[in-house]
Amino acid sequence: MKQWYIAGILLSAIMLLAFHSEEPLTRAKLGEQLFFDPILSGNSTISCASCHKPQFAFADTTAFSKGIHDQLTKRNTPSITNQRGRPSFFWDGRSASLEEQAKQPIISAGEMGLPIEDAVTRLNADSAYVRAFRKLFNSVPTEKNLLSALAAYERTLETANSPYDRYISGDDQAISPEAARGRLLFIGKANCSNCHSGEDFTADRFKNIGLYNGTTLTDAGRFEVTWDSAQLGFFKVPGLRNVAVTAPYMHNGMFKTLREVIEYYNKPDAIVDNGIRRDLSLNTPLNLTDTEINELEAFLKTLTDDRFINQ
């Protein structure tokens, strides 16, 4: 039996104790239990947390996660921290709410592989879940309140306790001088803030950064949702909070380290020279020096919330 399976079962058993604790049961607490419970996968072997690992900012550590029967997902598993204010979800933006986002991995044949009707039936066969749903929703488990509970938990995964947060609050010693110089590069010469802006370092837009060439890189991204040829190779700009613990990077996990990501943006043509309809802002090399790359990487590491720093 695989170690990850054993760990999942043990974690689920621990989470079940929440039903019997003295802490008040809330919709978010119920969603947390569901998030860690393999009851929502077709063969009851994986949970949401199998791919969204809490210690890695609820991302995965492999390019492609394993669904039921060891099937590989199509895209890299992104972090689900700081999703409360996002207008769309998934790399291709196909879901417009956290509730809809929560549903898709459950019903996906290559991920958890369980029709939502079957998930509801399972929950209704579990007396502890029935009691919990009745208490919180005045109803037996339904598709709507199942997804509502999962989304309520995901909305609690906000992070704003990083060295960077302390720095912008006035603590000049919270980050190193190297990282402080990297911050200036981020908003200046490196032009990162053009896409990675705002509190969570995302403009919530879709961009083609050159990782689609129709031959070796064939994921068409947003185009597969809109069928708009102008969006061929477009992917959602991810937030950068906790980015240092969510490797590998990009929708296909092709970059193993933050430095590789920075080096790509610095000279895209040196890595993928035939990206179709790549954003014009990437046509000119950034000309960052090795020292500046180190400084930019140091800054990105300051965006890690304290709870993840030692992972």
Side-chain angles (χ1 to χ4, degrees):
M1 186 178 292
K2 297 181 178 179
Q3 290 181 344
W4 63 266
Y5 174 66
I6 297 172
I9 294 298
L10 291 175
L11 186 54
S12 296
I14 293 171
M15 292 300 299
L16 281 169
L17 294 176
F19 284 139
H20 306 290
S21 71
E22 295 181 359
E23 187 176 349
L25 182 64
T26 64
R27 293 185 180 187
K29 283 291 182 183
L30 175 58
E32 183 177 16
Q33 161 59 25
L34 291 162
F35 191 88
F36 287 88
D37 196 335
I39 194 174
L40 295 180
S41 64
N43 58 4
S44 299
T45 59
I46 65 172
S47 68
C48 303
S50 298
C51 298
H52 294 285
K53 295 178 170 60
Q55 66 270 40
F56 298 105
F58 294 84
D60 206 349
T61 56
T62 59
F64 303 105
S65 302
K66 287 185 178 181
I68 60 172
H69 310 305
D70 288 341
Q71 298 177 89
L72 293 180
T73 54
K74 178 180 178 180
R75 294 178 179 137
N76 179 254
T77 298
S79 168
I80 55 170
T81 60
N82 305 293
Q83 297 298 300
R84 181 190 292 270
R86 307 279 73 81
S88 61
F89 304 89
F90 295 107
W91 283 105
D92 56 16
R94 64 185 180 274
S95 292
S97 71
L98 272 173
E99 287 78 6
E100 180 62 21
Q101 177 274 324
K103 177 181 177 179
Q104 295 307 311
I106 297 173
I107 65 175
S108 171
E111 295 180 60
M112 298 172 79
L114 185 66
I116 200 68
E117 298 82 4
D118 293 350
V120 171
T121 297
R122 287 187 184 182
L123 295 177
N124 276 287
D126 187 302
S127 59
Y129 274 125
V130 170
R131 287 194 299 271
F133 275 90
R134 283 192 181 280
K135 179 178 181 179
L136 296 172
F137 294 96
N138 195 30
S139 166
V140 298
T142 64
E143 175 181 343
K144 182 177 179 179
N145 57 31
L146 160 60
L147 301 179
S148 177
L150 284 168
Y153 172 58
E154 291 189 41
R155 291 189 178 98
T156 69
L157 305 179
E158 297 295 297
T159 64
N161 190 24
S162 68
Y164 164 79
D165 292 300
R166 292 188 286 277
Y167 180 76
I168 62 171
S169 294
D171 181 359
D172 291 339
Q173 306 304 312
I175 67 176
S176 68
E178 180 185 36
R181 292 192 296 272
R183 176 174 175 268
L184 295 179
L185 288 165
F186 186 91
I187 60 180
K189 180 178 179 179
N191 201 31
C192 307
S193 60
N194 182 50
C195 295
H196 295 286
S197 58
E199 183 178 357
D200 294 323
F201 297 89
T202 174
D204 287 309
R205 292 181 291 175
F206 298 89
K207 286 282 187 176
N208 180 339
I209 62 168
L211 300 184
Y212 172 81
N213 60 17
T215 54
T216 58
L217 299 170
T218 58
D219 190 337
R222 182 72 172 158
F223 171 76
E224 296 178 0
V225 175
T226 65
W227 299 109
D228 180 353
S229 60
Q231 295 187 314
L232 191 66
F234 276 56
F235 293 90
K236 183 175 168 59
V237 176
L240 295 183
R241 284 189 175 272
N242 310 306
V243 69
V245 297
T246 63
Y249 303 102
M250 306 305 182
H251 67 277
N252 56 7
M254 67 183 289
F255 299 132
K256 295 180 180 179
T257 66
L258 278 176
R259 186 176 182 87
E260 288 182 11
V261 174
I262 299 169
E263 288 174 342
Y264 173 74
Y265 283 117
N266 194 34
K267 296 180 180 179
D269 287 336
I271 299 170
V272 180
D273 66 356
N274 56 347
I276 296 174
R277 296 185 181 177
R278 186 180 68 192
D279 193 276
L280 295 178
S281 65
L282 297 177
N283 280 353
T284 303
L286 297 174
N287 294 316
L288 297 173
T289 66
D290 284 345
T291 296
E292 289 173 327
I293 289 174
N294 290 337
E295 292 169 342
L296 190 53
E297 182 179 9
F299 169 66
L300 292 174
K301 290 179 178 178
T302 72
L303 306 182
T304 306
D305 191 87
D306 288 353
R307 76 183 79 176
F308 306 124
I309 282 178
N310 294 320
Q311 300 299 330

mmCIF file of all heavy atoms in Angstrom, residues 48-54 56-67 73 75-80 245-249:
data_model
loop_
_atom_site.group_PDB
_atom_site.id
_atom_site.type_symbol
_atom_site.label_atom_id
_atom_site.label_comp_id
_atom_site.label_asym_id
_atom_site.label_seq_id
_atom_site.Cartn_x
_atom_site.Cartn_y
_atom_site.Cartn_z
ATOM 1 N N CYS A 48 -9.204 15.892 -1.866
ATOM 2 C CA CYS A 48 -8.751 17.167 -2.439
ATOM 3 C C CYS A 48 -7.322 17.466 -1.979
ATOM 4 O O CYS A 48 -6.497 17.979 -2.741
ATOM 5 C CB CYS A 48 -9.672 18.296 -2.002
ATOM 6 S SG CYS A 48 -11.414 18.092 -2.418
ATOM 7 N N ALA A 49 -7.038 17.110 -0.711
ATOM 8 C CA ALA A 49 -5.726 17.399 -0.130
ATOM 9 C C ALA A 49 -4.617 16.524 -0.691
ATOM 10 O O ALA A 49 -3.435 16.806 -0.459
ATOM 11 C CB ALA A 49 -5.779 17.240 1.385
ATOM 12 N N SER A 50 -4.959 15.477 -1.431
ATOM 13 C CA SER A 50 -3.924 14.639 -2.031
ATOM 14 C C SER A 50 -3.128 15.407 -3.071
ATOM 15 O O SER A 50 -1.930 15.165 -3.263
ATOM 16 C CB SER A 50 -4.549 13.397 -2.684
ATOM 17 O OG SER A 50 -5.214 12.598 -1.737
ATOM 18 N N CYS A 51 -3.790 16.345 -3.753
ATOM 19 C CA CYS A 51 -3.113 17.166 -4.754
ATOM 20 C C CYS A 51 -2.842 18.573 -4.239
ATOM 21 O O CYS A 51 -1.852 19.198 -4.629
ATOM 22 C CB CYS A 51 -3.940 17.238 -6.032
ATOM 23 S SG CYS A 51 -4.206 15.645 -6.840
ATOM 24 N N HIS A 52 -3.728 19.075 -3.391
ATOM 25 C CA HIS A 52 -3.550 20.398 -2.791
ATOM 26 C C HIS A 52 -2.997 20.198 -1.384
ATOM 27 O O HIS A 52 -3.735 20.196 -0.404
ATOM 28 C CB HIS A 52 -4.871 21.159 -2.780
ATOM 29 C CG HIS A 52 -5.386 21.504 -4.135
ATOM 30 N ND1 HIS A 52 -4.851 22.521 -4.898
ATOM 31 C CD2 HIS A 52 -6.387 20.961 -4.879
ATOM 32 C CE1 HIS A 52 -5.500 22.603 -6.052
ATOM 33 N NE2 HIS A 52 -6.432 21.663 -6.068
ATOM 34 N N LYS A 53 -1.684 20.027 -1.305
ATOM 35 C CA LYS A 53 -1.021 19.667 -0.053
ATOM 36 C C LYS A 53 -0.871 20.895 0.849
ATOM 37 O O LYS A 53 -0.248 21.891 0.457
ATOM 38 C CB LYS A 53 0.346 19.054 -0.345
ATOM 39 C CG LYS A 53 0.268 17.720 -1.106
ATOM 40 C CD LYS A 53 1.648 17.185 -1.419
ATOM 41 C CE LYS A 53 1.588 15.752 -1.952
ATOM 42 N NZ LYS A 53 0.802 15.634 -3.192
ATOM 43 N N PRO A 54 -1.413 20.837 2.058
ATOM 44 C CA PRO A 54 -1.392 22.017 2.943
ATOM 45 C C PRO A 54 -0.004 22.572 3.204
ATOM 46 O O PRO A 54 0.180 23.797 3.257
ATOM 47 C CB PRO A 54 -2.028 21.484 4.237
ATOM 48 C CG PRO A 54 -2.899 20.363 3.791
ATOM 49 C CD PRO A 54 -2.166 19.721 2.652
ATOM 50 N N PHE A 56 2.479 22.802 1.332
ATOM 51 C CA PHE A 56 3.042 23.470 0.162
ATOM 52 C C PHE A 56 2.051 24.504 -0.381
ATOM 53 O O PHE A 56 1.853 24.626 -1.592
ATOM 54 C CB PHE A 56 3.418 22.453 -0.910
ATOM 55 C CG PHE A 56 4.480 21.489 -0.450
ATOM 56 C CD1 PHE A 56 4.157 20.179 -0.127
ATOM 57 C CD2 PHE A 56 5.798 21.909 -0.292
ATOM 58 C CE1 PHE A 56 5.125 19.288 0.335
ATOM 59 C CE2 PHE A 56 6.772 21.029 0.169
ATOM 60 C CZ PHE A 56 6.437 19.725 0.481
ATOM 61 N N ALA A 57 1.458 25.246 0.545
ATOM 62 C CA ALA A 57 0.488 26.290 0.185
ATOM 63 C C ALA A 57 -0.649 25.726 -0.652
ATOM 64 O O ALA A 57 -1.157 26.386 -1.561
ATOM 65 C CB ALA A 57 1.167 27.464 -0.519
ATOM 66 N N PHE A 58 -1.023 24.492 -0.363
ATOM 67 C CA PHE A 58 -2.136 23.822 -1.038
ATOM 68 C C PHE A 58 -1.904 23.689 -2.542
ATOM 69 O O PHE A 58 -2.831 23.787 -3.348
ATOM 70 C CB PHE A 58 -3.459 24.532 -0.738
ATOM 71 C CG PHE A 58 -3.863 24.428 0.710
ATOM 72 C CD1 PHE A 58 -3.368 25.309 1.656
ATOM 73 C CD2 PHE A 58 -4.703 23.416 1.135
ATOM 74 C CE1 PHE A 58 -3.714 25.209 2.991
ATOM 75 C CE2 PHE A 58 -5.059 23.295 2.467
ATOM 76 C CZ PHE A 58 -4.563 24.200 3.399
ATOM 77 N N ALA A 59 -0.637 23.476 -2.913
ATOM 78 C CA ALA A 59 -0.278 23.102 -4.283
ATOM 79 C C ALA A 59 0.298 21.694 -4.223
ATOM 80 O O ALA A 59 0.253 21.029 -3.194
ATOM 81 C CB ALA A 59 0.732 24.095 -4.848
ATOM 82 N N ASP A 60 0.853 21.203 -5.320
ATOM 83 C CA ASP A 60 1.493 19.894 -5.340
ATOM 84 C C ASP A 60 2.971 20.086 -5.642
ATOM 85 O O ASP A 60 3.414 21.176 -6.016
ATOM 86 C CB ASP A 60 0.837 18.983 -6.377
ATOM 87 C CG ASP A 60 0.989 17.498 -6.032
ATOM 88 O OD1 ASP A 60 1.772 17.168 -5.117
ATOM 89 O OD2 ASP A 60 0.321 16.682 -6.687
ATOM 90 N N THR A 61 3.726 19.031 -5.518
ATOM 91 C CA THR A 61 5.180 19.120 -5.696
ATOM 92 C C THR A 61 5.652 18.439 -6.979
ATOM 93 O O THR A 61 6.846 18.302 -7.201
ATOM 94 C CB THR A 61 5.895 18.477 -4.497
ATOM 95 O OG1 THR A 61 5.441 17.126 -4.349
ATOM 96 C CG2 THR A 61 5.604 19.244 -3.216
ATOM 97 N N THR A 62 4.729 18.020 -7.810
ATOM 98 C CA THR A 62 5.062 17.375 -9.072
ATOM 99 C C THR A 62 4.453 18.176 -10.229
ATOM 100 O O THR A 62 3.508 18.948 -10.036
ATOM 101 C CB THR A 62 4.532 15.936 -9.132
ATOM 102 O OG1 THR A 62 3.099 15.965 -8.969
ATOM 103 C CG2 THR A 62 5.141 15.090 -8.026
ATOM 104 N N ALA A 63 4.991 17.976 -11.410
ATOM 105 C CA ALA A 63 4.470 18.695 -12.572
ATOM 106 C C ALA A 63 2.993 18.379 -12.788
ATOM 107 O O ALA A 63 2.178 19.264 -13.051
ATOM 108 C CB ALA A 63 5.283 18.349 -13.812
ATOM 109 N N PHE A 64 2.637 17.101 -12.658
ATOM 110 C CA PHE A 64 1.254 16.665 -12.820
ATOM 111 C C PHE A 64 0.892 15.749 -11.664
ATOM 112 O O PHE A 64 1.621 14.807 -11.358
ATOM 113 C CB PHE A 64 1.064 15.944 -14.156
ATOM 114 C CG PHE A 64 1.458 16.786 -15.346
ATOM 115 C CD1 PHE A 64 2.637 16.540 -16.020
ATOM 116 C CD2 PHE A 64 0.655 17.829 -15.773
ATOM 117 C CE1 PHE A 64 3.021 17.321 -17.099
ATOM 118 C CE2 PHE A 64 1.027 18.617 -16.846
ATOM 119 C CZ PHE A 64 2.212 18.359 -17.522
ATOM 120 N N SER A 65 -0.237 16.020 -11.048
ATOM 121 C CA SER A 65 -0.679 15.225 -9.907
ATOM 122 C C SER A 65 -1.285 13.909 -10.371
ATOM 123 O O SER A 65 -1.684 13.755 -11.526
ATOM 124 C CB SER A 65 -1.710 16.013 -9.097
ATOM 125 O OG SER A 65 -1.193 17.239 -8.651
ATOM 126 N N LYS A 66 -1.371 12.966 -9.436
ATOM 127 C CA LYS A 66 -1.986 11.676 -9.734
ATOM 128 C C LYS A 66 -3.423 11.639 -9.227
ATOM 129 O O LYS A 66 -3.695 11.915 -8.069
ATOM 130 C CB LYS A 66 -1.188 10.544 -9.089
ATOM 131 C CG LYS A 66 0.134 10.257 -9.769
ATOM 132 C CD LYS A 66 0.819 9.047 -9.150
ATOM 133 C CE LYS A 66 2.126 8.728 -9.872
ATOM 134 N NZ LYS A 66 2.794 7.542 -9.291
ATOM 135 N N GLY A 67 -4.332 11.311 -10.148
ATOM 136 C CA GLY A 67 -5.715 11.098 -9.771
ATOM 137 C C GLY A 67 -5.930 9.641 -9.409
ATOM 138 O O GLY A 67 -4.983 8.903 -9.126
ATOM 139 N N THR A 73 -2.889 14.223 -14.091
ATOM 140 C CA THR A 73 -3.703 15.358 -14.485
ATOM 141 C C THR A 73 -3.124 16.018 -15.727
ATOM 142 O O THR A 73 -1.961 15.833 -16.075
ATOM 143 C CB THR A 73 -3.780 16.395 -13.355
ATOM 144 O OG1 THR A 73 -2.452 16.756 -12.962
ATOM 145 C CG2 THR A 73 -4.514 15.836 -12.148
ATOM 146 N N ARG A 75 -2.830 19.328 -16.187
ATOM 147 C CA ARG A 75 -2.079 20.533 -15.868
ATOM 148 C C ARG A 75 -1.561 20.482 -14.442
ATOM 149 O O ARG A 75 -2.050 19.715 -13.611
ATOM 150 C CB ARG A 75 -2.951 21.780 -16.065
ATOM 151 C CG ARG A 75 -3.337 21.999 -17.528
ATOM 152 C CD ARG A 75 -4.236 23.209 -17.696
ATOM 153 N NE ARG A 75 -4.561 23.391 -19.121
ATOM 154 C CZ ARG A 75 -5.773 23.700 -19.571
ATOM 155 N NH1 ARG A 75 -6.760 23.898 -18.721
ATOM 156 N NH2 ARG A 75 -5.986 23.841 -20.869
ATOM 157 N N ASN A 76 -0.590 21.332 -14.172
ATOM 158 C CA ASN A 76 -0.006 21.440 -12.844
ATOM 159 C C ASN A 76 -1.051 21.928 -11.838
ATOM 160 O O ASN A 76 -1.874 22.785 -12.150
ATOM 161 C CB ASN A 76 1.170 22.413 -12.889
ATOM 162 C CG ASN A 76 1.826 22.609 -11.551
ATOM 163 O OD1 ASN A 76 1.661 23.644 -10.913
ATOM 164 N ND2 ASN A 76 2.578 21.619 -11.103
ATOM 165 N N THR A 77 -1.000 21.373 -10.643
ATOM 166 C CA THR A 77 -1.940 21.751 -9.588
ATOM 167 C C THR A 77 -1.524 23.088 -8.976
ATOM 168 O O THR A 77 -0.462 23.185 -8.370
ATOM 169 C CB THR A 77 -1.979 20.682 -8.487
ATOM 170 O OG1 THR A 77 -2.432 19.443 -9.046
ATOM 171 C CG2 THR A 77 -2.912 21.098 -7.358
ATOM 172 N N PRO A 78 -2.349 24.120 -9.118
ATOM 173 C CA PRO A 78 -1.977 25.426 -8.551
ATOM 174 C C PRO A 78 -2.323 25.512 -7.073
ATOM 175 O O PRO A 78 -3.133 24.736 -6.550
ATOM 176 C CB PRO A 78 -2.838 26.402 -9.359
ATOM 177 C CG PRO A 78 -4.070 25.605 -9.664
ATOM 178 C CD PRO A 78 -3.611 24.174 -9.859
ATOM 179 N N SER A 79 -1.732 26.468 -6.400
ATOM 180 C CA SER A 79 -2.103 26.765 -5.023
ATOM 181 C C SER A 79 -3.541 27.271 -4.985
ATOM 182 O O SER A 79 -3.989 27.954 -5.914
ATOM 183 C CB SER A 79 -1.169 27.823 -4.440
ATOM 184 O OG SER A 79 -1.663 28.319 -3.209
ATOM 185 N N ILE A 80 -4.250 26.938 -3.908
ATOM 186 C CA ILE A 80 -5.603 27.491 -3.753
ATOM 187 C C ILE A 80 -5.670 28.441 -2.559
ATOM 188 O O ILE A 80 -6.748 28.712 -2.029
ATOM 189 C CB ILE A 80 -6.672 26.391 -3.636
ATOM 190 C CG1 ILE A 80 -6.338 25.418 -2.507
ATOM 191 C CG2 ILE A 80 -6.848 25.663 -4.958
ATOM 192 C CD1 ILE A 80 -7.491 24.468 -2.194
ATOM 193 N N VAL A 245 7.088 28.073 -2.376
ATOM 194 C CA VAL A 245 6.850 26.697 -1.920
ATOM 195 C C VAL A 245 5.908 25.933 -2.842
ATOM 196 O O VAL A 245 5.429 24.854 -2.493
ATOM 197 C CB VAL A 245 6.301 26.669 -0.471
ATOM 198 C CG1 VAL A 245 7.314 27.254 0.494
ATOM 199 C CG2 VAL A 245 4.962 27.394 -0.359
ATOM 200 N N THR A 246 5.642 26.475 -4.037
ATOM 201 C CA THR A 246 4.679 25.819 -4.921
ATOM 202 C C THR A 246 5.298 25.268 -6.204
ATOM 203 O O THR A 246 4.596 25.020 -7.176
ATOM 204 C CB THR A 246 3.533 26.785 -5.285
ATOM 205 O OG1 THR A 246 4.067 27.901 -6.020
ATOM 206 C CG2 THR A 246 2.818 27.286 -4.047
ATOM 207 N N ALA A 247 6.607 25.063 -6.209
ATOM 208 C CA ALA A 247 7.263 24.474 -7.388
ATOM 209 C C ALA A 247 6.731 23.066 -7.641
ATOM 210 O O ALA A 247 6.314 22.378 -6.709
ATOM 211 C CB ALA A 247 8.769 24.424 -7.149
ATOM 212 N N PRO A 248 6.758 22.637 -8.913
ATOM 213 C CA PRO A 248 7.242 23.303 -10.127
ATOM 214 C C PRO A 248 6.239 24.317 -10.663
ATOM 215 O O PRO A 248 5.099 24.373 -10.219
ATOM 216 C CB PRO A 248 7.456 22.146 -11.092
ATOM 217 C CG PRO A 248 6.433 21.139 -10.677
ATOM 218 C CD PRO A 248 6.354 21.242 -9.181
ATOM 219 N N TYR A 249 6.660 25.078 -11.677
ATOM 220 C CA TYR A 249 5.915 26.257 -12.101
ATOM 221 C C TYR A 249 5.392 26.162 -13.527
ATOM 222 O O TYR A 249 5.850 25.361 -14.322
ATOM 223 C CB TYR A 249 6.816 27.492 -11.959
ATOM 224 C CG TYR A 249 7.324 27.658 -10.546
ATOM 225 C CD1 TYR A 249 8.633 27.294 -10.208
ATOM 226 C CD2 TYR A 249 6.484 28.122 -9.534
ATOM 227 C CE1 TYR A 249 9.094 27.426 -8.900
ATOM 228 C CE2 TYR A 249 6.943 28.253 -8.224
ATOM 229 C CZ TYR A 249 8.239 27.907 -7.910
ATOM 230 O OH TYR A 249 8.687 28.021 -6.623
#
